[in-house]
Amino acid sequence: MYLLDPILLTSLSLIFGLVHSQDPIPNPEKCLQPLIPSNQQICPSLLPKRLPTPQNNQKPLQDDFNHPYDHSNLDDEFALDDEYHLPPPWHGPTSCISSYCLYSNPSLSISLFTTPKNAYLTSQFPLPSPKNRKVISPSSFYEAQIPGKGIGLIANRTIHKGEIIMQRIPTLLIQAIPHSTYSDRTKETLYKKALELLPEDTQQKFMRQYGNNITAKVDKNSFRMLTDHDPKAEGESEHFAVFPDVSRINHDCRPNLHYRLQNHTHTTVAVRDISPGEELTLSYIYGQSLYSTRQAHLQQIWGFPCTCSQCSLPSLLSQASDARIREIRNLEKEIEEKMARNNGIEIKPEMAGRLVKLYLDERLEAYMAPTYTRAALIYSMFGDEAKAMEYAKEAVEALEREHGEDNGDAESMKEMLRNLKGHWSWRIKVRPPLGSSGEAKEKKKGTVRRAPVANRTKSGI
Ligand SMILES: *[C@@H]1O[C@H](CO)[C@@H](O)[C@H](O)[C@H]1NC(C)=O
Ligand SMILES: *[C@@H]1O[C@H](CO)[C@@H](O)[C@H](O)[C@H]1NC(C)=O
Ligand SMILES: *[C@@H]1O[C@H](CO)[C@@H](O)[C@H](O)[C@H]1NC(C)=O
Ligand SMILES: *[C@@H]1O[C@H](CO)[C@@H](O)[C@H](O)[C@H]1NC(C)=O
């Protein structure tokens, strides 16, 4: 019997645990959905759990926000002003309330209302590379009036899977705590000031977004963005980021685009080939939820019924879709449980292949990375070279679409493509025939090889 070593076992459970937690798919229960669609309201979970206690040094609201940067308002941490000094051409801090101030960089068309530390972190983020060859030209799509949806984006040529539609940094970036605690009037005054620091065309693009006033536009068009991935910093690092160009993209439960937010860069990638004339779409909700849940969520949280292609299916097809989603959930749970039990001997590689098929049949192309990665690993564990290679290739592409190019799991999948038989997962579940001395032979031949632990990625691949 090939026993898995404890580290491998841990990493195996991480495959499923961690890939999931890294997964950008929002969890409907927790309402982690970072996108606040253009005609909806804030996802309740985006509000900080713990509201800050009112500080006695918090300035009362005045019409004039231009009081100077006041160190006495700042926490000790921020009093070390120089540490968070923003290099030119950044402006700020101005218009401070408590430890939050306005900062801007008009040449990048970005304004912030946040703490000195967060402003500093944001100013240090690398900008999207103008030389990225995967980013398509803006003439590859155009704006048009979409019946029942307002303005949307339409492909002007075939856009291929993996091509990047746009990469943007926010126009407005607002710390979540003041946004969820300050009065409407304070916010409106501040955000107006923040916008006025930016070029005229940027202001116009911002104002074209859905919402009655600037604050409402922030509420209805923001993505949740963290400036710092240290879990301890979460409350402080949580921001609302508004990308007016991205706000043009309408919702579909079976979107043809996937987005990722890395630092302050928002990237939208095609997840399947898109034909000329087809609308470009992103999903505002959790794709793998049942029809009734999708309806309830869109209606309750965002106030509009789900009318996307997947929600408008005739009832037989809609039932088939729900059945597939149930099967996906059951199968994922089953694989996870079996993987954690008896060294995974009850797993059958066909389960992984079936899962890929269900995802594709259900048109969930935007969320393929964990499924392809899992399939490549499981087929490799059972020594199915052709299928392991096929899925590893798909996994690399999906991981890069969903998580970006410098992705550890993508690296590991590339490693598998280069040298499947040297990958730690290769044939670790293949058992020698009973009664033979296969085990000893195999061991001598060194079929069971494992890469050093250091070569495994975070998610255990
Ligand atoms: C995020 O920003 C940090 C520096 O602030 C940088 O080291 C890192 O490479 C950035 N990540 C990406 C994906 O751009
Ligand atoms: C569509 O692409 C063609 C060239 O391929 C270009 O001439 C045209 O202006 C584009 N249309 C729009 C609306 O961008
Ligand atoms: C902005 O619009 C929202 C929603 O229509 C409203 O509740 C809010 O009071 C408005 N804010 C201001 C400052 O008028
Ligand atoms: C493991 O990583 C080392 C470098 O850290 C590299 O030389 C080696 O080829 C890798 N092996 C595998 C199997 O990935």
Side-chain angles (χ1 to χ4, degrees), residues 119-299:
Y120 176 77
L121 290 173
T122 305
S123 75
Q124 298 302 300
F125 288 150
L127 294 168
S129 162
K131 291 198 198 129
N132 188 336
R133 302 218 327 272
K134 284 193 178 166
V135 181
I136 63 179
S137 109
S139 68
S140 309
F141 54 90
Y142 56 91
E143 285 181 7
Q145 197 71 36
I146 317 283
K149 285 189 177 180
I151 290 174
L153 299 184
I154 307 286
N156 189 20
R157 63 157 170 91
T158 302
I159 296 175
H160 297 284
K161 182 162 86 166
E163 286 190 304
I164 295 176
I165 310 305
M166 55 176 92
Q167 283 199 301
R168 294 287 183 273
I169 64 167
T171 293
L172 274 192
L173 183 67
I174 295 163
Q175 218 283 343
I177 295 170
H179 185 75
S180 12
T181 51
Y182 290 0
S183 74
D184 279 356
R185 206 173 128 251
T186 307
K187 287 190 282 188
E188 195 68 15
T189 315
L190 273 169
Y191 302 167
K192 186 159 181 290
K193 269 184 171 300
L195 271 183
E196 281 167 0
L197 297 166
L198 301 179
E200 187 66 33
D201 62 328
T202 305
Q203 296 184 37
Q204 279 167 10
K205 268 193 194 168
F206 185 94
M207 294 311 286
R208 287 195 331 168
Q209 296 175 106
Y210 182 84
N212 286 343
N213 51 51
I214 300 174
T215 312
K217 289 178 201 296
V218 172
D219 286 346
K220 292 164 192 225
N221 294 281
S222 295
F223 289 74
R224 176 175 178 265
M225 190 196 115
L226 301 179
T227 47
D228 187 344
H229 287 276
D230 181 350
K232 278 180 283 175
E234 185 153 339
E236 268 302 308
S237 76
E238 202 157 354
H239 289 73
F240 293 97
V242 187
F243 305 86
D245 288 337
V246 178
S247 302
R248 298 266 106 173
I249 303 171
N250 287 319
H251 164 77
D252 195 301
C253 306
R254 298 292 176 262
N256 48 28
L257 309 181
H258 178 271
Y259 72 86
R260 57 177 193 263
L261 244 174
Q262 292 169 294
N263 289 336
H264 66 347
T265 300
H266 185 292
T267 304
T268 32
V269 190
V271 296
R272 53 176 178 257
D273 289 349
I274 303 170
S275 311
E278 202 183 321
E279 187 182 2
L280 308 182
T281 54
L282 280 174
S283 180
Y284 295 174
I285 54 162
Y286 184 63
Q288 287 117 305
S289 45
L290 300 174
Y291 170 80
S292 56
T293 315
R294 292 198 301 271
Q295 285 292 3
H297 273 241
L298 281 167
Q299 191 68 58

Side-chain angles (χ1 to χ4, degrees), residues 70-83:
D70 181 354
H71 288 268
S72 68
N73 278 347
L74 302 181
D75 297 350
D76 284 344
E77 190 191 351
F78 300 134
L80 294 164
D81 183 27
D82 281 349
E83 191 183 342

